[in-house]
Amino acid sequence: MERVRVERLDHLGLIASVINDLGLVSRIDARLTPDEQEAITPGEAIKGMILNGLGFANRPLSLTPQFFTNKPLDLLFRPGVEADMFNRFKLGRTLDEVDTYGCDLFFSEIALAVCQHEAIDQRFNHLDTTSFSLSGAYVPESDAQAIAITHGYSKDHRPDLKQAVLELMVSQDGGVPLASKSWDGNASDTQIFQDRAEALLSTFQGSPTPRYLIADSKLYSADNAAQLKQLGFITRIPGTLKLVSQVTSQALRWATWQPVDDATRYQRLDLCHYGMAQRWLLVSSEAALQRAEKSVSKAQKRELETVQKQLFHLQAQRFETQESAQAALSTLAGAWCYHQVATTELTEHRRYAGKGRPSAQTSVQATLWQIQAKVCPDAEAIHRHKQHKGCFVLGTNIDASALSDAEVIAAYKAQSQVEGGFRFLKDPLFFVSSLFVKKPSRIQGLLVVMTLALLVYSVAQRRLRQELARQQESLPNQINQPTQRPTLRWVFQLLEGIHRVRVRVQGQMHDFIEGLNKVQIKILRLFGQDVCQIYQISSG
């Protein structure tokens, strides 16, 4: 024996196989022309960034060569690829090429090809935005297309940091990203959603099958009504509209609830608003009512503190008449939401002429009144607020013959797909500190790469769950209970500890995969022949 080398494989072989099967490298190289003098192509560079991100190795992109130092690169890429080829200069140039091609166009073309390859159902399209907080100084861009890294409303609750905003639209089928766009750090959701709705008009109208847009309440506005009228949409109607409060109060009085399941019920109202014939569904659920209970209880406690301060200052005042004292108290009570006056006490204060202690003959110059009050919870108002807060209104212009009320509610609840994608992208171990690149144009390119990583992740997770359902199999979850819907992140943890051992004997190299157990072999076989070949196991 002359030499032994141990390389860490873990779940990276699975991810590399999915990337290869989707043809991502060739699709990228067809758009970002490879330089013959470069050791690796742009597609391979982006594949390396995706593997680094999905490696959850707590390393930024600048340390990608270090990440690949102990990895079997001939398995993950091709023979001849070395770790130092993924240096920051090559990765930076690749991000510049993505930006030059057009980040939005680049991602949408790749995503469309992947969706066709995977037969992704694109009927329901979930739209949302998030912000990425950024540290450090940024080189000013001469390119007018580059985003502005600036302060804005921070969904990370870091108003002290500048940020970039990412718009993402995913499918309900597997949460696969369909469209992505980066925006200035101070861009508003209302404007973003309006632009996206306008951009989707031709796509949706030209689709051979119906496609629907789903988003939160920022989608629904008077300015966006012209675009929404031509789209099939499902959205939460903003609670700030007076009509929503009126509809909610009316529906609560009617109490003609229809069940969706054991925990959810709704009432339907057909109306015309913003010039559109719509269905509005007032939805109430056990979970929402529990949240409303906590929210109203907190608000009631805060109001009680305010009320007590108001009454303290009120009793220090003197009024010329009893009526004016009562009026002052009524003015205060009129602003209370959760409390009402329980008892009042009026005290007479006489003001005498002259100085000193008055005698029986001293004339009364004026009579003033002091009012003191005690409050108690307004049970009826509290119940009413809980009922209101435990409901929300969904609006849609989709005909009931195409989508039932229950399907509309289920489609909106699946908005968690895009929120799950954002949680994945903002995981501290995913592309950690990678947004410290200095050029806004490269940040745009990097956000595209991060979304491509989410694309690969969601496709792999969808394949796994479909195969488990098809074979009627399950995997152990975190508490060792069987599940048919594991997260791919958990599967990555199950695949830890797999290594490739390379042994050179008499000039010949022999490879062995070490560390496989029964659960890992079961997982790998679910992904098919190509993955089994990488891990040197039989496919059945």
Side-chain angles (χ1 to χ4, degrees):
M1 183 180 294
E2 297 177 358
R3 186 181 178 188
V4 176
R5 175 177 171 81
V6 178
E7 297 168 319
R8 189 166 182 176
L9 184 56
D10 295 337
H11 63 278
L12 296 179
L14 186 157
I15 294 300
S17 176
V18 173
I19 293 173
N20 294 341
D21 187 53
L22 295 176
L24 280 189
V25 172
S26 59
R27 296 184 197 280
I28 293 170
D29 288 340
R31 292 164 174 80
L32 310 180
T33 307
D35 187 336
E36 294 181 357
Q37 297 181 347
E38 295 278 7
I40 57 175
T41 68
E44 290 172 328
I46 290 178
K47 180 180 178 180
M49 286 188 269
I50 292 174
L51 287 170
N52 185 10
L54 295 180
F56 296 100
N58 203 28
R59 285 190 178 89
L61 285 183
S62 58
L63 296 180
T64 298
Q66 185 187 96
F67 171 76
F68 284 125
T69 298
N70 64 340
K71 305 297 188 298
L73 297 183
D74 59 313
L75 281 181
L76 302 179
F77 295 91
R78 55 179 171 81
V81 174
E82 298 178 1
D84 59 6
M85 294 177 181
F86 296 90
N87 56 73
R88 60 191 180 93
F89 302 106
K90 172 60 181 177
L91 301 186
R93 286 194 298 271
T94 302
L95 296 179
D96 289 338
E97 291 177 45
V98 171
D99 181 68
T100 301
Y101 186 88
C103 295
D104 310 337
L105 178 63
F106 177 81
F107 181 81
S108 62
E109 289 179 350
I110 299 292
L112 177 61
V114 169
C115 288
Q116 291 174 343
H117 183 275
E118 294 293 303
I120 303 293
D121 181 2
Q122 300 181 49
R123 184 167 59 145
F124 297 107
N125 303 264
H126 296 268
L127 180 66
D128 206 351
T129 67
T130 192
S131 57
F132 286 86
S133 299
L134 307 168
S135 302
Y138 295 90
V139 179
E141 287 275 11
S142 57
D143 184 1
Q145 300 300 317
I147 60 173
I149 308 301
T150 185
H151 293 282
Y153 174 72
S154 175
K155 297 184 179 182
D156 292 335
H157 306 292
R158 289 299 306 271
D160 55 313
L161 297 178
K162 294 181 179 180
Q163 64 181 20
V165 172
L166 178 67
E167 171 197 358
L168 187 65
M169 188 170 76
V170 308
S171 68
Q172 186 171 313
D173 181 10
V176 178
L178 305 173
S180 171
K181 185 176 181 179
S182 50
W183 291 80
D184 296 346
N186 57 0
S188 71
D189 284 2
T190 302
Q191 184 61 49
I192 293 172
F193 288 175
Q194 186 173 338
D195 286 3
R196 178 57 62 184
E198 186 175 353
L200 290 174
L201 286 177
S202 59
T203 303
F204 280 20
Q205 291 171 354
S207 174
T209 57
R211 294 185 65 178
Y212 308 128
L213 179 63
I214 305 167
D216 64 23
S217 59
K218 294 294 185 181
L219 179 68
Y220 194 82
S221 66
D223 293 337
N224 202 20
Q227 286 77 27
L228 292 180
K229 193 173 183 178
Q230 303 175 65
L231 293 171
F233 70 87
I234 300 172
T235 185
R236 183 166 178 167
I237 306 299
T240 52
L241 292 177
K242 288 184 178 179
L243 185 57
V244 170
S245 179
Q246 295 169 3
V247 165
T248 303
S249 298
Q250 186 181 62
L252 289 173
R253 286 196 301 271
W254 287 346
T256 54
W257 296 102
Q258 300 293 321
V260 177
D261 52 42
D262 293 339
T264 308
R265 56 183 184 165
Y266 76 96
Q267 295 185 57
R268 171 176 166 177
L269 179 68
D270 295 308
L271 53 81
C272 183
H273 192 243
Y274 288 156
M276 293 180 284
Q278 301 177 51
R279 272 183 291 163
W280 280 16
L281 306 176
L282 180 74
V283 183
S284 176
S285 67
E286 292 297 329
L289 287 171
Q290 290 175 6
R291 290 194 298 269
E293 181 92 28
K294 294 179 181 179
S295 174
V296 170
S297 295
K298 289 181 180 179
Q300 182 185 346
K301 290 178 181 179
R302 289 195 300 268
E303 185 181 80
L304 180 59
E305 294 176 0
T306 302
V307 167
Q308 289 173 337
K309 290 179 181 178
Q310 291 175 341
L311 294 180
F312 174 79
H313 291 293
L314 180 67
Q315 62 89 27
Q317 298 180 50
R318 300 294 182 267
F319 298 91
E320 293 183 355
T321 64
Q322 297 182 47
E323 290 75 14
S324 60
Q326 293 283 7
L329 176 60
S330 297
T331 300
L332 291 178
W336 300 339
C337 295
Y338 309 105
H339 294 86
Q340 60 184 354
V341 176
T343 61
T344 60
E345 181 182 347
L346 286 165
T347 304
E348 183 182 23
H349 295 273
R350 295 177 179 179
R351 183 176 297 172
Y352 294 89
K355 298 180 179 180
R357 185 174 182 177
S359 64
Q361 291 75 33
T362 306
S363 61
V364 177
Q365 191 175 44
T367 300
L368 300 178
W369 295 91
Q370 175 191 21
I371 188 168
Q372 292 177 302
K374 293 183 179 180
V375 298
C376 64
D378 187 340
E380 183 179 342
I382 291 171
H383 177 74
R384 186 172 61 251
H385 277 89
K386 287 178 180 178
Q387 292 296 312
H388 269 260
K389 289 181 177 293
C391 301
F392 62 91
V393 178
L394 294 182
T396 181
N397 63 344
I398 304 168
D399 193 87
S401 61
L403 217 60
S404 69
D405 296 341
E407 288 175 318
V408 170
I409 295 170
Y412 183 78
K413 285 186 174 181
Q415 183 72 0
S416 58
Q417 294 275 18
V418 67
E419 294 165 357
F422 284 141
R423 285 194 299 272
F424 171 84
L425 290 174
K426 299 174 86 164
D427 189 300
L429 293 179
F430 178 72
F431 280 100
V432 63
S433 303
S434 57
L435 296 187
F436 278 90
V437 291
K438 299 301 181 185
K439 294 177 63 178
S441 59
R442 288 189 175 181
I443 289 177
Q444 287 179 257
L446 184 56
L447 288 172
V448 171
V449 173
M450 292 170 68
T451 314
L452 282 174
L454 174 60
L455 176 71
V456 173
Y457 178 94
S458 56
V459 166
Q461 180 172 268
R462 178 176 178 271
R463 287 183 178 184
L464 172 65
R465 291 177 175 180
Q466 285 184 337
E467 196 61 24
L468 284 170
R470 189 186 70 82
Q471 296 186 21
Q472 296 184 343
E473 287 283 356
S474 62
L475 293 175
N477 64 11
Q478 288 88 336
I479 57 174
N480 207 31
Q481 297 298 310
T483 177
Q484 282 195 327
R485 294 184 60 79
T487 65
L488 196 65
R489 177 68 181 274
W490 169 241
V491 169
F492 288 171
Q493 294 182 43
L494 290 176
L495 293 176
E496 287 180 354
I498 303 175
H499 299 83
R500 183 179 76 170
V501 180
R502 310 203 79 181
V503 182
R504 186 183 298 276
V505 180
Q506 297 179 353
Q508 292 187 344
M509 189 68 72
H510 301 271
D511 296 341
F512 306 94
I513 301 298
E514 178 272 332
L516 286 169
N517 58 38
K518 290 182 179 180
V519 173
Q520 292 171 335
I521 292 173
K522 180 179 180 178
I523 292 170
L524 297 171
R525 283 176 174 165
L526 291 168
F527 285 92
Q529 178 62 39
D530 291 342
V531 171
C532 291
Q533 187 173 345
I534 291 175
Y535 289 87
Q536 296 181 9
I537 60 175
S538 63
S539 58

